[in-house]
């Protein structure tokens, strides 16, 4: 295994790319031999952030979603960026159940899921400039690696 | 995404298969709302055993169907979810509104 | 399904990223509901091109490998780029069994595999500037799509 | 990547599991060459049933072991490959040098 590794990916904000983004980050994190639960946590958190970029940041328009990820030691760092409309009040947005689309089937639980499933969550946003979500997760010791990779 | 539905008395048992994310949420909502037009249905039982993924978009879909059922004095139950989905449902407080069967 | 979609990814030329690259392009192509054989063809061809960038283009040094892919109708277009040492004689390099590393376990079959498994292969290279491999594959009609994606 | 090896008379049966690409090629080569130091082995039988992926790096690994075995008048055989791996082996002309069992 490489001691450090990183990757960058970008794709248009089509909802079909939500599952693609999950698979990409999951496959990258797989290099640390995560447990199935750790892998599911990562995929879920990435899905939340990418979905937010698609539905909130670009709202009906099509923009670019960018993901950078790095493996540093046994920690996955992942950053999801959009250049969409931005968040006016990040603190409010991060509250459980807060959603700016209350009429729809949005639950307002996206940020709460990210926070719960990852070890850290940082949200940087500027109106009309876009939003960057940074998350980290430590992957527990490699249980069943065969050693040679 | 595919949903198998089965009427059992006044209950509708629905088994969505695949990944319940935002991309598939509209489809699942519309399929379920289509079935729930039948006001004779008083309970929606969601068998989640074939869901391979669910994020907060799934919470929204279930919450929305809770509202539909509550309007007619009915309820929503869930069963056979993976431990990951169980954690998401717990986190969201949904178990205060829906039954967990089994 | 989106009528058109695209993605760009980059990562360092570590051999551990060979399987990552296969999974990424495979997951992207999966949006066209390929058969298992079509998917294996695509992953194998991508693996060949990425491996060449890692072992030939950057030879022991670490550089960046970039992949762009697009779905246009039912065709996957994929481009693998490096900024490594380049190929002096592309025609010779594409010959079956030709390898510049005859002492090793290289078989010289990489380009032949790409050509056989994909519908088209184009190789552009400049010494000390790098190599771009472009491939296309038509994905046969969607047999078992459920229609709503 | 894991390789299970079993001596059967003068044959060595080796069953690599996982993805045989360039990243894993060195490991597979070294494991096999380590076993093949025993000059009593006259046939290397590769059971490919647990290979989930192989590209031309795998051809190189098999070709290299052919050379090792030919030097001692021995041979290499393959068995249980997926249709994808069979196509790669065919394409490379390897079946002119190795036996396909079954
Ligand atoms: N990338 C983003 N761009 C713009 N607004 C965002 C973004 N991400 C989140 N938001 C805002 O934060 C709110 C809360 O997000 P979240 O907790 O994921 O809930 P939900 O997506 O269900 O609304 C959203 O309703 C939206 O107003
Ligand atoms: N990206 C690249 N950069 C530099 N040289 C390359 C690249 N790809 C291929 N080559 C050259 O072309 C030759 C043939 O490539 P290939 O058919 O894949 O066989 P092999 O990788 O087994 O040598 C290589 O040996 C190398 O000299």
């Amino acid at each position: 295994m490489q001691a450090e590794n990183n990757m960058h990916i970008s794709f248009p904000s089509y909802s079909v790319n939500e599952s693609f983004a999950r698979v990409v980050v999951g496959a990258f994190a797989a290099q640390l031999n995560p447990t199935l639960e750790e892998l599911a946590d990562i995929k879920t958190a990435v899905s939340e952030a990418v979905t937010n970029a698609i539905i909130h940041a670009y709202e009906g328009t099509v923009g670019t979603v960018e993901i950078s990820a790095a493996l540093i030691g046994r920690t996955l760092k992942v950053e999801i960026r959009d250049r969409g409309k931005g968040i006016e009040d990040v603190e409010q947005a991060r509250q459980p159940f807060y959603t700016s689309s209350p009429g729809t089937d949005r639950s307002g639980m996206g940020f709460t899921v990210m926070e719960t499933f990852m070890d850290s969550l940082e949200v940087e946003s500027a109106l009309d400039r876009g939003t960057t979500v940074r998350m980290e997760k430590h992957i527990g010791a490699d249980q069943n690696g065969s050693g040679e990779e | 995404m595919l949903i198998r539905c089965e009427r059992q008395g006044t209950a509708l048992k629905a088994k969505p298969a695949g990944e319940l994310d935002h991309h598939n949420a509209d489809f699942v909502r519309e399929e379920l709302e289509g079935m729930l037009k039948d006001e004779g249905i008083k309970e929606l039982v969601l068998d989640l055993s074939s869901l391979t993924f669910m994020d907060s978009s799934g919470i929204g879909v279930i919450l929305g169907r809770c509202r539909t059922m509550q309007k007619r004095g009915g309820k929503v139950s869930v069963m056979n979810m993976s431990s990951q989905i169980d954690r998401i449902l717990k986190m969201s407080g949904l178990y205060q509104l829906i039954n967990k069967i089994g």
Side-chain angles (χ1 to χ4, degrees), chain A, chain B:
Chain A
M1 203 196 68
Q2 285 309 130
E4 293 204 3
N5 199 357
N6 63 78
M7 68 97 181
H8 305 273
I9 187 161
S10 63
F11 49 83
S13 60
Y14 300 135
S15 66
V16 70
N17 290 330
E18 291 158 7
S19 66
F20 174 61
R22 296 195 289 272
V23 173
V24 170
V25 181
F28 186 68
Q31 295 181 1
L32 294 181
N33 282 309
T35 62
L36 285 182
E37 184 174 312
E38 287 166 338
L39 202 57
D41 289 355
I42 292 163
K43 286 183 171 186
T44 309
V46 167
S47 191
E48 298 293 352
V50 169
T51 299
N52 280 349
I54 290 171
I55 60 182
H56 299 301
Y58 295 121
E59 266 190 320
T61 64
V62 177
T64 300
V65 181
E66 291 177 74
I67 304 181
S68 298
L71 304 176
I72 297 170
R74 296 207 58 78
T75 299
L76 167 75
K77 296 186 181 224
V78 58
E79 194 176 301
I80 292 104
R81 289 182 302 279
D82 66 65
R83 294 165 201 277
K85 70 171 185 191
I87 305 175
E88 198 165 344
D89 184 342
V90 169
E91 210 185 316
Q92 179 190 49
R94 291 179 65 156
Q95 296 297 316
F97 305 110
Y98 173 81
T99 176
S100 55
S101 328
T104 69
D105 268 357
R106 298 307 302 163
S107 64
M109 289 300 289
F111 281 127
T112 308
V113 168
M114 293 181 236
E115 224 168 306
T116 310
F117 284 181
M118 302 294 275
D119 293 335
S120 72
L121 168 69
E122 199 187 302
V123 183
E124 196 183 308
S125 193
L127 275 183
D128 297 325
R129 301 264 299 282
T131 300
T132 300
V133 171
R134 290 189 194 86
M135 301 184 281
E136 290 190 16
K137 191 175 180 76
H138 180 80
I139 307 294
D142 179 349
Q143 309 290 323
N144 56 356
S146 51
E148 91 285 354
E149 303 199 63
Chain B
M1 204 76 205
L2 255 179
I3 309 181
R4 242 175 254 285
C5 289
E6 197 187 320
R7 180 72 182 262
Q8 296 176 336
T10 58
L12 176 73
K13 192 165 170 179
K15 189 174 172 177
E19 304 196 315
L20 181 40
D21 61 1
H22 159 253
H23 177 67
N24 289 322
D26 281 357
F27 171 76
V28 174
R29 188 192 62 236
E30 279 160 31
E31 290 284 301
L32 291 179
E33 286 296 326
M35 303 293 296
L36 294 176
K37 283 211 177 90
D38 176 349
E39 295 270 343
I41 298 171
K42 300 298 179 197
E43 184 182 4
L44 170 64
V45 180
L46 293 167
D47 177 349
L48 305 183
S49 58
S50 299
L51 275 194
T52 51
F53 178 84
M54 191 183 100
D55 61 15
S56 78
S57 299
I59 300 176
V61 169
I62 298 177
L63 207 56
R65 304 305 69 71
C66 274
R67 291 195 201 106
T68 302
M69 294 309 290
Q70 279 169 347
K71 273 183 212 149
R72 67 180 71 163
K75 61 177 178 171
V76 174
S77 305
V78 293
M79 61 194 285
N80 298 333
M81 46 281 172
S82 67
S83 63
Q84 182 76 9
I85 294 178
D86 188 45
R87 282 172 68 208
I88 297 180
L89 292 173
K90 258 188 209 129
M91 175 188 320
S92 68
L94 252 185
Y95 287 136
Q96 288 158 23
L97 298 172
I98 64 179
N99 294 323
K100 182 172 164 178
I101 301 178

